[in-house]
Amino acid sequence: MDESTEKVQEGLCATDADFRKLYSVEGISTKEDDMQEMEIALQALTEIDFRLAYFSEKLMNLHVLYIYLLARENDLEAIDTKDDCILANFFERAMTFDLLSGILDSEVRELDNFMDTLQEEIVDARRKIFSCRHLTEVSHMMEEKLLGCEESMKQFQQQLLELKMQSTQLQKTIAALKDDNFN
């Protein structure tokens, strides 16, 4: 090959490379990419739904435990600890009450930590939904769903705060019962 032919071929190769670069599909979203982004965002929303359902169930069970403890608290306060036989019964009930209120307190703290994790997952889901912004109808529906999840979370946070205060009050009751009857 002569020198001019080589230059023409190099120019064609360069032009061909520039042409491929100009019209490459890199950076351009394909339907498959869109579906994958949408599936990832939907998966994140589903995870949040499951976690909210878990949180709701756990909160309800802890509320039931709290109501049970309130009834036991009333029973303990009504017991006259002057009689030795009754004192043994009182001690057993007080220990059970102490144990169960400790479990309640521990579970409330665990849910509080869980709430922090859930908040992080909601932020992550929002980022994933944002990546689907070009799929306007789908992303709008996912955003509405996420807003509903956030509203549920706010309600659960309020209920958890109330349960936390109630659990603290039970801990004070245990301390007062110990002071009154075992000192």
Side-chain angles (χ1 to χ4, degrees), residues 86-109:
I86 294 175
L87 184 59
N89 188 12
F90 174 80
F91 181 73
E92 182 180 327
R93 288 182 183 196
M95 292 301 292
T96 302
F97 182 82
D98 188 24
L99 177 67
L100 290 176
S101 62
I103 290 171
L104 176 67
D105 188 56
S106 174
E107 291 292 321
V108 165
R109 280 182 285 156

Side-chain angles (χ1 to χ4, degrees), residues 135-151:
L135 305 171
T136 56
E137 188 176 320
V138 173
S139 70
H140 181 69
M141 289 183 338
M142 287 190 288
E143 284 177 28
E144 285 180 14
K145 176 70 174 160
L146 189 60
L147 287 174
C149 290
E150 287 177 316
E151 186 60 37

Side-chain angles (χ1 to χ4, degrees), residues 110-180:
E110 181 184 318
L111 276 184
D112 200 28
N113 292 335
F114 181 81
M115 187 64 71
D116 293 339
T117 302
L118 186 58
Q119 182 65 41
E120 291 170 8
E121 289 178 7
I122 286 176
V123 169
D124 186 52
R126 185 170 307 291
R127 183 186 52 76
K128 289 173 181 173
I129 290 170
F130 186 77
S131 74
C132 299
R133 201 77 152 154
H134 56 282
L135 305 171
T136 56
E137 188 176 320
V138 173
S139 70
H140 181 69
M141 289 183 338
M142 287 190 288
E143 284 177 28
E144 285 180 14
K145 176 70 174 160
L146 189 60
L147 287 174
C149 290
E150 287 177 316
E151 186 60 37
S152 294
M153 193 177 107
K154 286 177 186 176
Q155 291 172 0
F156 290 151
Q157 280 177 319
Q158 183 61 35
Q159 292 173 7
L160 182 62
L161 181 62
E162 290 171 14
L163 194 56
K164 194 186 294 186
M165 290 185 303
Q166 293 163 341
S167 177
T168 301
Q169 188 60 39
L170 289 174
Q171 294 300 318
K172 289 177 183 176
T173 299
I174 279 293
L177 285 172
K178 286 179 182 176
D179 286 345
D180 290 347

Side-chain angles (χ1 to χ4, degrees), residues 55-74:
F55 192 89
S56 175
E57 179 91 17
K58 187 95 168 185
L59 197 58
M60 184 180 65
N61 289 339
L62 292 178
H63 188 71
V64 168
L65 177 58
Y66 172 71
I67 291 171
Y68 175 81
L69 284 168
L70 280 180
R72 296 304 121 224
E73 178 184 32
N74 290 336

